[in-house]
Amino acid sequence: EHVLRNLRSVSVQCDLSPPEADLVVEPDVLICPITRNMFRDPVVVVDSGHTYERSAVVSHFQCNGTKDPLTGLALRSARVMTIWTVRQIVQDWLDKHPDVAP
């Protein structure tokens, strides 16, 4: 009896890069358009309605005058108000993703 044997080559690939599904990306709505970092102290510019990180927008006003950072339009005032809801949403997101440091 004649026995045929098939030899197969086996190739093993090793990809050490992290899988895409495991990457955690902060939602864009929680990112300051000036710093491109997650909000820690989000404020709304009262005259424009745009949201920024407090320190970034205050610095912008000091350097550029009372102009909205996104539109460049002159504002009547540099008044900002804390957005407590956004701050809480950021904290909730961070609580759900403890391995992420903003």
Side-chain angles (χ1 to χ4, degrees):
E1 174 178 331
H2 188 249
V3 177
L4 292 176
R5 213 180 263 185
N6 285 336
L7 297 176
R8 295 181 187 164
S9 64
V10 176
S11 116
V12 176
Q13 295 180 355
C14 186
D15 183 3
L16 299 177
S17 63
E20 291 293 324
D22 290 347
L23 296 178
V24 177
V25 178
E26 297 92 346
D28 283 342
V29 297
L30 302 181
I31 303 296
C32 172
I34 298 173
T35 65
R36 300 304 303 155
N37 292 318
M38 184 176 273
F39 291 119
R40 298 304 291 158
D41 186 11
V43 295
V44 63
V45 174
V46 174
D47 283 351
S48 71
H50 292 128
T51 303
Y52 304 102
E53 181 65 22
R54 181 185 306 273
S55 60
V57 76
V58 167
S59 177
H60 170 84
F61 289 154
Q62 290 170 346
C63 294
N64 303 294
T66 315
K67 296 180 183 176
D68 187 81
L70 282 178
T71 66
L73 297 175
L75 302 170
R76 288 176 285 162
S77 80
R79 186 169 172 234
V80 297
M81 293 177 54
T82 299
I83 307 177
W84 296 105
T85 304
V86 173
R87 185 182 270 194
Q88 185 60 54
I89 292 168
V90 167
Q91 190 58 56
D92 290 347
W93 191 91
L94 290 170
D95 290 347
K96 290 177 185 170
H97 301 90
D99 295 336
V100 175

